[in-house]
């Protein structure tokens, strides 16, 4: 069973207007699934430390649901199936996202070996990645592990080739996990607009995860 992300982009609107109350409540500006509907564990690990096979230092892990979260976010969080959702709530501000060093590498090689296949031109093409692969272990000349064994952290840069299939232990960067023009780009675009209008510190992403 996989893990998916849910949540809201929130904003504190027009905090600089002099005739508004000093304390301005957070409002839900957009549901995350209207802008992002992809399951990407590299991104989840990079930002929030969830399903962090790639070994990133998370930017905003385990912060919980903000006590001042918007009413819509709180209601959606409460309505999530207690057995299937409401896992690992956290949040990150747009001002924090802008400070991320996207060239920063993960702390170790990806726990999933990256599987490449050689195409007709002789180029290696990435086809997928997995924590355990009988084919990968056979290429290394080792036996299958016992059920329940923890995933290996393969030595960074290791390569095993078996004919036209190759397995690599690779260390990702944050940009590998979240490319500039990738699936998170629409989320960043909306947050950037809200940040320009209301102040970067007054825009944030509140999330939780569902199995």
């Amino acid at each position: 069973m996989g893990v998916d992300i849910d949540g809201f982009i929130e904003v504190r609107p027009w905090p600089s207007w002099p005739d508004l109350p000093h304390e301005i409540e957070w409002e839900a500006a957009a549901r995350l699934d209207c802008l992002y509907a992809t399951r990407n564990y590299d991104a989840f690990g990079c930002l929030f430390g969830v399903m962090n096979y790639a070994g990133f230092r998370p930017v905003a892990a385990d912060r919980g649901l903000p006590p001042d979260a918007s009413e819509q976010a709180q209601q959606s969080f409460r309505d999530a199936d207690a057995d299937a959702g409401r896992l690992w709530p956290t949040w990150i501000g747009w001002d924090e996202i802008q400070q991320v060093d996207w060239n920063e590498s993960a702390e170790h090689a990806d726990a999933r070996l990256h599987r490449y296949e050689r195409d007709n031109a002789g180029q290696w093409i990435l086809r997928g990645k997995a924590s355990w692969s009988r084919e990968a272990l056979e290429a290394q000349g080792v036996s299958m592990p016992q059920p329940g064994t923890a995933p290996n952290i393969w030595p960074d840069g290791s390569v095993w080739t078996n004919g036209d299939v190759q397995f690599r232990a690779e260390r990702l960067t944050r940009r590998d996990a979240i490319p500039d023009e990738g699936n998170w780009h629409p989320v960043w675009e909306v947050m950037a607009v809200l940040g320009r209008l209301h102040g970067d510190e007054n825009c944030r992403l509140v999330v939780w995860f569902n199995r």
Side-chain angles (χ1 to χ4, degrees):
M1 184 179 295
V3 170
D4 296 300
I5 193 170
D6 198 1
F8 289 84
I9 295 174
E10 294 186 335
V11 65
R12 262 188 315 212
W14 315 116
S16 62
W17 283 18
D19 56 339
L20 291 178
H22 178 67
E23 292 295 333
I24 300 174
E25 295 183 352
W26 288 92
E27 297 181 8
R31 262 200 95 97
L32 180 60
D33 61 8
C34 292
L35 301 166
Y36 179 88
T38 303
R39 178 186 292 170
N40 185 331
Y41 292 165
D42 292 339
F44 297 171
C46 171
L47 293 174
F48 307 115
V50 172
M51 309 303 286
N52 193 13
Y53 297 108
F56 288 106
R57 178 182 58 81
V59 179
D62 301 321
R63 293 180 171 179
L65 192 75
D68 58 353
S70 65
E71 182 178 346
Q72 192 171 354
Q74 292 189 47
Q75 185 62 54
S76 183
F77 184 73
R78 288 194 297 267
D79 289 346
D81 185 338
D83 294 327
R86 301 191 300 184
L87 299 171
W88 311 300
T90 191
W91 61 273
I92 186 171
W94 175 235
D95 51 346
E96 292 180 279
I97 292 170
Q98 292 183 87
Q99 298 301 314
V100 171
D101 177 4
W102 298 106
N103 294 317
E104 182 182 354
S105 295
E107 296 183 311
H108 56 70
D110 196 337
R112 301 155 300 175
L113 285 179
H114 297 194
R115 185 183 191 277
Y116 290 79
E117 294 180 6
R118 200 192 320 261
D119 65 12
N120 293 333
Q123 301 297 313
W124 292 106
I125 308 299
L126 179 64
R127 296 302 189 192
K129 53 179 104 173
S131 297
W132 294 119
S133 164
R134 180 181 297 276
E135 189 180 17
L137 293 170
E138 288 175 350
Q140 299 172 55
V142 298
S143 59
M144 287 293 290
Q146 294 297 315
T149 305
N152 278 319
I153 302 300
W154 309 100
D156 192 9
S158 300
V159 177
W160 299 273
T161 305
N162 186 6
D164 289 332
V165 177
Q166 187 174 88
F167 298 91
R168 305 178 189 176
E170 298 183 312
R171 188 188 302 238
L172 302 181
T173 67
R174 295 192 188 278
R175 183 168 282 108
D176 292 327
I178 306 177
D180 292 341
E181 299 299 324
N183 292 320
W184 282 87
H185 185 66
V187 180
W188 303 157
E189 283 191 308
V190 170
M191 296 185 77
V193 170
L194 293 172
R196 287 196 297 270
L197 288 172
H198 307 290
D200 293 342
E201 71 281 6
N202 295 306
C203 177
R204 69 186 180 190
L205 178 62
V206 176
V207 302
W208 55 91
F209 294 83
N210 308 303
R211 288 193 187 277

